[in-house]
Amino acid sequence: IHTTAYAGRFMAQGGTMSSSEESRQRLAVALIVRDEEKTLPATLASVQNIADQIVVVDTGSTDRTAKIAREFGATVIAFPWEDSFSAARNRAMADIRAEWILWIDAGEKLSAADSQSLRQLVDVQSDSNTCYAVWIELPQATADSYAERVTQIRLIPSSAALRFTGRVRETLLPAIEGGKFQIERSEIHLLRSSRDHDSQ
């Protein structure tokens, strides 16, 4: 579905595609989730027009999370929680067929402009030996506080050499260093919701 939608936009701009290009999967969006029925629709809606594949690892939801993900065309993988974020993220890798992976969390969103910039990066400017950091933005908690902004590695080439390590605060850095991948910062922004200010 998503590949066809992107091909339609390409043709509308006067491009031509071979049959192999039409079936080529460039970008997968991957998430690990649990009980995210309230936040998942907005997150998936923000990426569905640029994703050739969506992979959702459900670690034990008891709400409508899996159903919602399937409504957006996602491949849903039921994966019992093993007390390890790395295990869940690495499980997603086995079902990813695209050349690039964007990791996103439920509750995060790409703006329309940033989604197109990201797809442009993947299609035209990306380097398969490079992992890309994006800006993660958290809105102000109160009117007199500041918004928070950090960079995280979220866009990576699909490579067997890139796997997460660490039970909590999982990281790709050992794999990046061991595989001699480069890290480059992009100007793409992922927007988090104000719920991250809620200690619950």
Side-chain angles (χ1 to χ4, degrees):
I1 293 173
H2 305 302
T3 304
T4 303
Y6 188 74
R9 292 197 303 274
F10 182 85
M11 296 295 288
Q13 294 169 359
T16 58
M17 277 191 170
S18 66
S19 59
S20 62
E21 286 174 323
E22 289 176 353
S23 61
R24 186 181 183 188
Q25 292 191 331
R26 288 286 286 169
L27 179 63
V29 174
L31 306 85
I32 57 173
V33 298
R34 183 172 182 177
D35 293 333
E36 293 285 359
E37 66 177 9
K38 294 181 179 179
T39 61
L40 193 59
T43 296
L44 294 182
S46 77
V47 298
Q48 71 173 151
N49 288 333
I50 61 166
D52 300 312
Q53 182 185 20
I54 299 175
V55 176
V56 174
V57 175
D58 190 327
T59 62
S61 294
T62 58
D63 62 5
R64 297 176 59 253
T65 293
K67 182 177 185 296
I68 291 167
R70 291 189 182 99
E71 288 172 353
F72 279 88
T75 298
V76 178
I77 301 166
F79 185 74
W81 180 240
E82 296 183 355
D83 198 30
S84 169
F85 286 94
S86 288
R89 293 198 189 277
N90 291 336
R91 174 61 186 87
M93 302 282 203
D95 279 56
I96 288 174
R97 300 291 176 260
E99 298 169 55
W100 287 87
I101 306 166
L102 172 68
W103 283 101
I104 190 170
D105 292 336
E108 295 176 340
K109 294 187 294 184
L110 278 171
S111 70
D114 278 316
S115 67
Q116 294 306 312
S117 294
L118 188 142
R119 185 72 205 213
Q120 175 79 3
L121 171 61
V122 166
D123 286 337
V124 179
Q125 301 167 308
S126 58
D127 176 356
S128 62
N129 292 314
T130 301
C131 298
Y132 294 90
V134 306
W135 289 102
I136 311 296
E137 295 196 355
L138 182 64
Q140 294 171 268
T142 61
D144 58 353
S145 66
Y146 293 97
E148 298 177 28
R149 188 169 75 156
V150 298
T151 57
Q152 293 181 358
I153 298 167
R154 294 295 194 91
L155 180 65
I156 63 171
S158 183
S159 168
L162 289 172
R163 291 296 182 269
F164 289 89
T165 55
R167 183 181 66 83
V168 181
R169 299 192 181 188
E170 66 281 16
T171 180
L172 286 164
L173 287 177
I176 289 171
E177 293 170 359
K180 294 182 170 56
F181 291 89
Q182 304 296 315
I183 299 174
E184 184 175 318
R185 192 185 74 190
S186 74
E187 291 305 318
I188 293 160
H189 297 73
L190 272 173
L191 308 177
R192 283 189 170 165
S193 70
S194 57
R195 75 170 186 152
D196 285 353
H197 293 300
D198 185 349
S199 60
Q200 297 298 319

